[in-house]
Amino acid sequence: MRYEQLVYGSFPFWDRGYAVLAHSPGCLPGWIQAFQAACQKFGERPRGASEPFPGAMFTVRDLAGAKVWAVVGVTTPGADDHGRPDALAFHGLIVRDREFRSVGYDPFALASCLRTDWNAGTSTLERGECEPAPPAQEASPEALRIAAPLKRGRRVAIESGVPIDELARSVWAALPASCRKRLSVATWAYCNDLRFDLLAAPRLASLALDASYVDPSVRLPAAPSPWARTKPYLLVAASVALAGVSIATVRGLMGEDEDPIPPLALAEPDPPPVRVKATEPSAIAPARGAYRGPIEDPAEARAVEQGLASLGSRLLDLDPDAARGPTAWMLAIAAFRYEGRWLTDEELAAISASTALGRSRALADHARVRLFAADRPLPEGFASGPLRWQLDTLAWSFHLELAPKLTAEEVPSALAEALSLDEPVSPNPLEAAYPALADYARFLGRLPQRP
């Protein structure tokens, strides 16, 4: 197995902050820039953490838009260039798709090639070769449970105080190569800006996890301190990617509520505290200045208007033949918001920790209704903005993230897919204990059904 390699981080033996320490000659400039950007999205280690960083691994597919993969090992050199104990070092193995295909797209086959020893004498790196490690022989029951939603195009996030390398390796053993080809994994990370398909993190409640993530009913024990006072639940929040992925109930994906998988018996050290970001990037509206370009094609604008009219008529019961124009339809759709009661953080924690019938559906309904929260009004000057900016901003206002490859004509259909339901709404057995669920059901009953 041939690979190019590079290392990025902050080290005690220099004064350059975070930068590339060395790379092999075959690393293209675009790969290096994309690798640095990916490492910066791993998340920031908390300042003053007393526990050593346990090490982790993550993957990046289609690095810099090319058919190459990055298998990245994350360790700590002990201190940064100012002597602070929070530094991270990233060793990346850059593998072309044809090479990675030969090991069935298994990143754990390359884990033995990842290095942790960096010093002032590391000025060059050569193209590497290694004998891939054999795959895991069989998958554990917990791994099979996690692999099930991954095969269906969902994502899984697990709260854990330590990296889940062995569990993740077992999950990959349960997946066919055709599935691994489209999946990314982080055995531990502080942030989810890279939207990993399988993710472990010390505290999920501090991350932006959209409704494509499901609870695998695998509960890793949290350390008693300092997280004993935190909420140990999977917070399904904020934006939803629209790359052909619809929102489905967690119950339908993971099985009946009454049959959870037993907790994993893992011994864990105290996880370090995680600093919650005051402002997440996804909470900021798209920048209008980034959408400079030619005037929209009239045929494209008409197609967008027709799609928005179809969506608006289904949501608002308006006449789809009304000559409104794309902007008027978007303004009307943006006004369709939820105004009922919300489950509190304490109620979400209680529901997540229970095994009662209706638990998974309650969490899924909360995630759906969250899309319609009125916390993202359209920015000033929306009506006069470029069409594509308007569409992206409308999606953002519903906590949705459009797939970059969608054309303007495809956006209304993607919005309709995300804002519709797969099945009729039925009463939840937990409504008596949590009245907000009744409000959720009444609102969701107004949404259109998918064909």
Side-chain angles (χ1 to χ4, degrees), residues 191-218:
C191 179
N192 193 37
D193 287 352
L194 292 173
R195 293 176 54 77
F196 297 107
D197 295 286
L198 175 59
L199 164 71
R203 190 186 178 203
L204 296 181
S206 66
L207 305 183
L209 300 176
D210 60 44
S212 64
Y213 286 88
V214 298
D215 178 358
S217 296
V218 176

Side-chain angles (χ1 to χ4, degrees), residues 236-260:
V236 185
S239 59
V240 172
L242 296 182
V245 178
S246 61
I247 305 170
T249 63
V250 178
R251 181 181 182 185
L253 287 169
M254 303 312 305
E256 295 297 323
D257 296 302
E258 297 89 346
D259 187 27

Side-chain angles (χ1 to χ4, degrees), residues 2 82 97 106 110 115 157 185 240 243 275 387 413 424 446:
R2 295 182 298 273
H82 293 287
D97 186 81
D106 183 2
L110 303 178
R115 288 177 49 184
V185 59
V240 172
R275 186 171 63 190
L387 179 60
S413 295
R446 300 167 57 190

Side-chain angles (χ1 to χ4, degrees), residues 4 8 13 52 80 99 104 115 124 176 195 224 270 302 307 315 334 351 374 380 405 428:
E4 302 292 342
Y8 167 83
F13 48 77
D80 66 8
E99 295 275 352
R115 288 177 49 184
T124 60
R195 293 176 54 77
D270 289 354
R302 284 194 298 272
L315 282 177
I351 293 172
E380 185 177 354
K405 294 183 180 180
N428 192 310

